[in-house]
Amino acid sequence: MPPGAGIDVLPDEVLHHILGFLEAQESVRTCVLARRWRHLWKWATGVRIVAHDGKSFLGSVHKLCNFFDSLLRHRNPTSPLHTCELTFTSFGPWMSGFSSEDEDRWLCLVNAWFWRAVSCQVQVLILRSGPTLALDERPVASRHLTRLELECVMVNTRFLDFSNCPLLEHLEFRTCFFDADDGSRLRICSPSLVSLILDDIWGMAPMLESMPSLVKAVVATEDSLEYCRKVECNCEFCGNSYSIGDDTGNNGCVLLKGLSEAKDLALISAPEQIIFKKDLRWCPIFSKLKTLLLNEYWCLPDDFRALVCILEHSPVLEKLTLELSSKEDRQQRERKGTLRPMEGSAAILEHLKIIEIRCDAVDEKICKLTLFLCAFNIRLSLN
């Protein structure tokens, strides 16, 4: 680029790429800059419609709908679409006055925009909705899609079949509801995944099918509908059960089996949830796992069986992080229990070098956990 030269010396292809990083309304406004720029926005490699944190887009939702429909109609159909971001997470006053019919039309339009992006051979597709959006019951079939991020959407059985997305490497669900009309458990089929995030799951946790290429995963089931209502019981699913890790019966793993190839894993849940405890009955071997983050769910007061079970099944683990809640929160959630000896616990993990404990306050519970972990002759870092 010659000294003193402006952006106009760049080739069209580079300008198309630059325009793809702008929000759609800003990209379209470049058409008034000069004759050359009149149609450049039609070839932009990215389409971004963003309205959040009370930000008003073009004054009203009606104008937004008209703008985006027009944008899709006039965009060059032969131009490859790398990124499509649709973010409507906080409507604020700009959605006031919307009737139920208006909201239904809005949700239908967003649904249509999502599938239109898929048909445009998009590579990165992001949808963050305000009102919960139910996506159409059909599979996402794309040989171009590499990354899919969804927030505040309702998904169904057919949608979760990503077997026809051979390049899909990153899949993210945040505050999503997994819904099956017949009450059965949904399945996520995405064999090419490298990264998976299931954060704030609503409904029943989906069953994860084999993911041989998985490197990193975060799974949080704190809002799952699967929990035991009995505080003191000895059922096969609860923390009071003695069946953890006994390898009896049929393999009924819902989450852990599909996560067993990961190298970096975070598992978060609430004390009353049963899904991870149920999976631990048939705990798989995490043969590649190097880094593991767990929350207090795995360290119930005076009972570390769940923690020991997953450690015993992670033979090459190098770093364990235990992220515990504040003292006040732990007191509110405290459950009765007795410390039980763990057979063979002293032989856990020759590769484990660091255990990091993150907490807001040190109390008797933290001290017991620390003493328990010190039995493994491992360096502890208490932050």
Side-chain angles (χ1 to χ4, degrees):
M1 191 167 173
I7 194 173
D8 283 331
V9 303
L10 296 174
D12 286 356
E13 292 77 11
V14 176
L15 295 178
H16 298 159
H17 185 70
I18 293 174
L19 289 175
F21 290 100
L22 299 179
E23 293 185 19
Q25 70 273 27
E26 300 299 331
S27 176
V28 172
R29 284 171 183 162
T30 61
C31 68
V32 301
L33 294 178
R35 182 181 297 274
R36 182 195 175 194
W37 287 78
R38 185 173 299 174
H39 300 291
L40 285 178
W41 64 270
K42 297 180 182 179
W43 278 265
T45 58
V47 173
R48 302 174 189 272
I49 304 290
V50 179
H52 65 95
D53 296 333
K55 175 181 178 181
S56 175
F57 182 97
L58 298 176
S60 71
V61 176
H62 297 290
K63 289 184 178 180
L64 185 151
C65 294
N66 294 333
F67 170 80
F68 194 58
D69 281 339
S70 178
L71 178 72
L72 293 178
R73 286 196 308 271
H74 290 91
R75 188 179 181 278
N76 190 293
T78 64
S79 177
L81 182 59
H82 179 273
T83 302
C84 180
E85 178 183 356
L86 306 173
T87 298
F88 315 106
T89 56
S90 179
F91 293 95
W94 70 293
M95 200 172 181
S96 61
F98 241 37
S99 65
S100 58
E101 292 79 10
D102 290 332
E103 184 172 334
D104 290 341
R105 176 176 176 269
W106 163 256
L107 296 176
C108 288
L109 281 172
V110 177
N111 212 319
W113 298 341
F114 175 88
W115 292 107
R116 176 67 179 273
V118 173
S119 68
C120 290
Q121 302 180 352
V122 67
Q123 297 179 44
V124 177
L125 181 52
I126 302 169
L127 172 59
R128 303 186 183 102
S129 179
T132 301
L133 171 68
L135 289 171
D136 289 348
E137 189 170 349
R138 49 172 158 159
V140 180
S142 171
R143 298 197 170 274
H144 302 269
L145 189 65
T146 62
R147 186 182 188 94
L148 178 61
E149 298 181 18
L150 301 174
E151 181 177 332
C152 201
V153 301
M154 181 182 297
V155 294
N156 47 61
T157 304
R158 296 187 64 198
F159 180 87
L160 294 175
D161 182 3
F162 300 102
S163 57
N164 290 321
C165 298
L167 299 182
L168 183 61
E169 293 187 343
H170 179 88
L171 184 59
E172 182 174 321
F173 292 92
R174 295 185 184 273
T175 319
C176 290
F177 190 87
F178 292 83
D179 177 52
D181 293 336
D182 58 0
S184 61
R185 190 181 301 280
L186 302 183
R187 293 174 176 264
I188 294 181
C189 176
S190 187
S192 59
L193 276 192
V194 174
S195 173
L196 172 68
I197 295 179
L198 295 176
D199 188 11
D200 197 12
I201 296 173
W202 290 80
M204 293 180 65
M207 179 168 287
L208 302 180
E209 299 192 0
S210 177
M211 301 176 187
S213 301
L214 191 65
V215 174
K216 183 175 182 178
V218 177
V219 178
T221 65
E222 292 175 292
D223 292 306
S224 168
L225 297 181
E226 300 171 79
Y227 56 91
C228 181
R229 305 188 182 193
K230 299 179 180 179
V231 177
E232 296 182 5
C233 68
N234 194 33
C235 72
E236 62 180 356
F237 301 139
C238 291
N240 294 322
S241 170
Y242 285 92
S243 61
I244 293 179
D246 64 3
D247 293 322
T248 60
N250 297 321
N251 191 328
C253 272
V254 175
L255 296 170
L256 294 183
K257 183 65 175 177
L259 300 172
S260 60
E261 300 293 332
K263 296 180 181 179
D264 187 337
L265 194 57
L267 303 175
I268 309 296
S269 194
E272 63 274 10
Q273 298 296 328
I274 65 173
I275 192 64
F276 282 130
K277 294 287 178 63
K278 179 180 178 181
D279 272 9
L280 287 177
R281 299 181 65 214
W282 306 284
C283 188
I285 300 297
F286 296 90
S287 59
K288 303 176 184 177
L289 189 61
K290 298 294 185 68
T291 304
L292 176 63
L293 184 148
L294 304 173
N295 73 330
E296 64 174 1
Y297 172 86
W298 303 86
C299 310
L300 288 177
D302 299 331
D303 187 351
F304 305 113
R305 287 172 300 157
L307 175 61
V308 170
C309 179
I310 197 165
L311 292 182
E312 288 179 333
H313 289 77
S314 306
V316 298
L317 186 65
E318 296 178 355
K319 180 180 179 181
L320 170 66
T321 299
L322 299 174
E323 196 167 71
L324 308 179
S325 61
S326 65
K327 180 178 179 180
E328 291 76 16
D329 191 37
R330 282 198 303 277
Q331 289 176 341
Q332 293 174 2
R333 288 176 156 185
E334 183 175 338
R335 298 174 67 183
K336 296 180 179 179
T338 58
L339 183 61
R340 305 184 181 96
M342 302 294 175
E343 295 183 3
S345 59
I348 291 178
L349 303 178
E350 58 179 307
H351 297 280
L352 186 57
K353 304 301 180 183
I354 299 176
I355 298 180
E356 180 182 10
I357 301 177
R358 301 175 184 171
C359 60
D360 298 327
V362 176
D363 59 7
E364 182 181 358
K365 304 293 190 300
I366 297 294
C367 292
K368 286 184 178 181
L369 175 61
T370 303
L371 289 174
F372 176 77
L373 295 172
C374 284
F376 305 127
N377 193 27
I378 298 169
R379 178 164 61 93
L380 294 178
S381 173
L382 186 60
N383 297 330

